[in-house]
Structures are given as C-alpha cells and as structure tokens.
C-alpha cells in the first residue's frame, strides 16, 4: 500500500523531499509529501522517512526548533490577521434589541389589548429601522461582525422566554408585573451584549 | 503524535491563505476590497489565493451591489471554518501552546 502511494510521487518531488530532509527542514519535507500525495500527516511523515532515509526519523523529530519557529510565526500572523478582521457588534445594537423586547413585553401590560396595538406597530417599525440601520452599517464598513452562534442565541433567549412565562404566571396581579418583566428583559439583553462584545474583543 | 496535529492543512498553511482564513474567521463576511486592504495584498494575489480556497471548498463568495457597483463578499464555509480551526490547533500543538 505504501509502495502504491510512493509511486504517485514524481522524481522531482522526491528529490526535493530528500534535499529538504538532508537540510534538516523536516517540517517542509512533510509538507511537500502531503502536497504531492494528499496523504494524512502521520502517513506523510512515514513516507518522508522512507524517501529521505531520515536520521533521526521525521516522525521522531517533528517539533524541532525550526518547525516550532515556523508554526509560531504562522500563529503570530494568524493573531495579526484576526485582529485586523475583528469588528464588534455595534454598541447600540443590544440596547436597541433590549428595548424592542421590552416593548413587546410592555404591550402585555396595556388593557384592553387593542390599546396596545399602536405600541406593537411602533415596535415593529423600530425593528425594521434597527435591522436596516445594521445592514447599512455593514455595507458601508465592508465587514459583517460575527453573528451569535446557536448556543449564544439560546443563552440569550432562554431567560427572555422564562421571563415571558413568569409574566404569564403572575399576570393576574396587575399590569405592573409585565413592566417589571420588560425592565428585567431589557437589562438582561443589554448586559448580555456588553459581556458578549467584551469577550469577543478579548478573543480577537 | 497528537490527534490535533492531524488537522494540519497544507492548503491553508500557505502564509497568505492562512491570513485570509484568520481574517475571515474573525468576521461573518468581508468585502473583497476590505480583505485586500486589511491584509495589504494586491487584488491579483488575493484572487489567486481565494480561488485556491474556493476550490478546496473553504471560502465562498457572494455578490451584492453597493453604490451602483458590484461588490464581492467573502466568507468561510462551515468546512473552511472547521479546517482553519483544526489547522490552528495543529500549529499550537507543534508550538506546544494550549488551545485557546
């Protein structure tokens, strides 16, 4: 099986790999093998050993100072590029969403319910404005910030859902319950946004 | 040999391609011109590397009109993001630093 894989290496590649191994550039030699054969890393190291008669074997010296320096340089380049590409979700976004969520909840406090319809319409209009402003900002900047992952969305939404349930449970005590629930929901959303952006900035 | 080193990806490892992936990983999507500016590479170099990453299924592009001009937005595919992260994990394993 190994012989078959070796056959796909042309003599030019083979010579280059031998030369790299003799120069002690094991990391690059393995890279050449993988480029030429599409083998997995472990098999590529074995094949590099076989071709270059490497002493000590490539698989034993993987992690030489040269390789580590190359990998460290690559990681440094990654860090710089990540920092250059990082754009936080705008600071106004989470407060705006918090107010929208609070608005929807506060509507429940209005009785009779049809009196709350204008507020609901206002919330919908505000949502459209927020969405369009966000999209315009992204278009202008040329960079769209990372969206929340599914897990992050769940973490944000579950307390809001629980607040809604609490509002329904204590609805009988008066409209003020929904106002409290709306306030807590707004604070939670804004707080979540602050923490999210802080963590995103720290990991960039 | 640790499992993480298996994630070493020669397609991604080329310096410019690694920087492109890192830049795209930090955002949801980035306009072609912005990538060019932020990485300080020419349009032709960027096109060449983006082409390789697209052929590997790691990057996708979407076209949209802005200010009456067509713009190209680049983003990592799900496979691209996974491959990039595995590659970075492999680099960390070689360097000997913990994942993070």
């Amino acid at each position: 099986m190994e012989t078959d894989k070796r056959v796909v290496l042309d003599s030019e590649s083979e010579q280059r790999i031998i030369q790299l191994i003799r120069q002690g550039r094991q990391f690059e030699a393995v890279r050449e093998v993988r480029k030429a054969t599409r083998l997995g890393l472990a098999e590529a190291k074995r094949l590099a050993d076989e071709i270059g008669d490497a002493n000590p074997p490539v698989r034993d010296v993987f992690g030489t100072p040269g390789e580590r320096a190359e990998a460290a340089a690559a990681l440094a380049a990654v860090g710089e590029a990540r920092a250059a590409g990082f754009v936080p979700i705008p600071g106004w976004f989470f407060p705006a969403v918090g107010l929208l969520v609070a608005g929807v909840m506060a509507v429940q406090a209005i009785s009779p319910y049809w009196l709350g319809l204008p507020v609901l319409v206002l919330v919908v209009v505000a949502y459209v404005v927020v969405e369009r402003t966000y999209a315009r900002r992204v278009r202008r900047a040329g960079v769209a910030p990372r969206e929340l992952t599914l897990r992050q969305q769940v973490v944000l939404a579950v307390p809001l859902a629980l607040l809604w349930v609490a509002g329904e449970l204590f609805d009988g005590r008066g409209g003020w319950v929904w106002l409290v629930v709306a306030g807590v929901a707004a604070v939670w959303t804004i707080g979540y946004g602050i923490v999210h952006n802080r963590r995103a900035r720290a990991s960039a | 040999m640790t499992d993480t080193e298996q994630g070493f990806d020669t397609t991604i490892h080329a310096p410019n391609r690694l920087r492109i992936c890192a830049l795209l990983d930090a955002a949801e999507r980035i306009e072609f011109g912005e990538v060019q500016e932020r990485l300080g590479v020419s349009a032709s170099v960027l096109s060449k590397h983006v082409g390789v990453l697209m052929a590997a299924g790691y990057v996708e592009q979407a076209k949209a009109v802005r200010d009456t001009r067509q713009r190209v937005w680049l983003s990592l595919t799900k496979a691209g993001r996974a491959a990039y992260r595995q590659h970075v994990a492999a680099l960390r394993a070689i360097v000997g630093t913990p994942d993070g």
Side-chain angles (χ1 to χ4, degrees):
Chain A
M1 190 169 165
E2 279 181 20
T3 315
D4 291 342
K5 280 169 182 166
R6 189 171 170 170
V7 166
V8 296
L9 270 177
D10 56 57
S11 59
E12 195 185 330
S13 301
E14 198 166 317
Q15 283 307 314
R16 203 162 45 239
I17 291 159
I18 292 168
Q19 201 178 355
L20 286 169
I21 288 174
R22 281 183 186 157
Q23 290 169 353
R25 293 156 70 188
Q26 323 285 39
F27 190 76
E28 289 164 73
V30 173
R31 215 162 70 193
E32 280 292 327
V33 173
R34 295 194 75 192
K35 205 161 86 179
T37 62
R38 294 273 166 199
L39 282 173
L41 189 62
E43 281 189 304
K45 286 174 194 169
R46 197 162 48 237
L47 188 55
D49 278 342
E50 198 184 314
I51 295 166
D53 192 21
N55 186 25
V58 171
R59 56 177 172 269
D60 289 346
V61 296
F62 207 78
T64 58
E67 288 162 10
R68 282 200 294 271
E70 183 181 336
L75 283 173
V78 162
E80 280 173 25
R82 274 191 71 80
F86 173 72
V87 172
I89 291 176
W92 55 264
F93 182 78
F94 284 104
V97 171
L99 289 177
L100 288 174
V101 171
V104 171
M105 289 178 169
V107 169
Q108 307 299 313
I110 302 170
S111 183
Y113 75 91
W114 54 267
L115 275 178
L117 283 177
V119 181
L120 207 56
V121 169
L122 201 70
V123 169
V124 171
V125 170
Y127 169 77
V128 172
V129 170
V130 167
E131 199 273 334
R132 288 196 174 177
T133 307
Y134 185 82
R136 198 179 312 123
R137 184 190 179 280
V138 165
R139 276 199 305 274
R140 276 192 191 149
V143 183
R146 283 296 302 276
E147 290 166 7
L148 298 186
T149 62
L150 183 64
R151 190 164 160 252
Q152 290 168 332
Q153 287 175 34
V154 169
V155 170
L156 173 62
V158 165
L160 297 177
L162 290 175
L163 281 169
W164 187 278
V165 171
E168 290 289 354
L169 286 175
F170 298 106
D171 189 44
R173 295 192 181 186
W176 62 270
V177 169
W178 281 107
L179 293 178
V180 171
V181 163
V184 174
V187 169
W188 163 249
T189 309
I190 294 166
Y192 179 89
I194 292 168
V195 172
H196 173 82
N197 271 351
R198 218 174 261 171
R199 289 179 69 179
R201 196 170 282 118
S203 69
Chain B
M1 211 40 59
T2 62
D3 286 338
T4 44
E5 283 182 21
Q6 299 293 339
F8 192 92
D9 192 312
T10 47
T11 306
I12 292 176
H13 191 65
N16 277 326
R17 290 202 283 275
L18 183 61
R19 291 169 70 221
I20 292 168
C21 288
L23 188 79
L24 293 178
D25 185 55
E28 199 61 36
R29 59 184 192 282
I30 308 184
E31 205 184 287
F32 187 93
E34 277 296 317
V35 176
Q36 200 188 321
E37 195 177 306
R38 288 170 190 239
L39 294 183
V41 293
S42 68
S44 59
V45 167
L46 182 58
S47 289
K48 191 184 100 183
H49 289 298
V50 166
V52 174
L53 290 168
M54 282 175 71
Y58 291 166
V59 166
E60 58 191 358
Q61 63 176 33
K63 289 173 182 171
V65 176
R66 181 184 126 195
D67 302 333
T68 70
R69 286 178 63 188
Q70 197 175 57
R71 310 280 173 157
V72 175
W73 288 79
L74 302 173
S75 59
L76 283 178
T77 61
K78 205 174 167 185
R81 214 174 279 280
Y84 161 74
R85 288 181 180 179
Q86 281 173 13
H87 182 73
V88 170
L91 290 175
R92 287 203 175 106
I94 292 167
V95 174
T97 55
D99 285 359

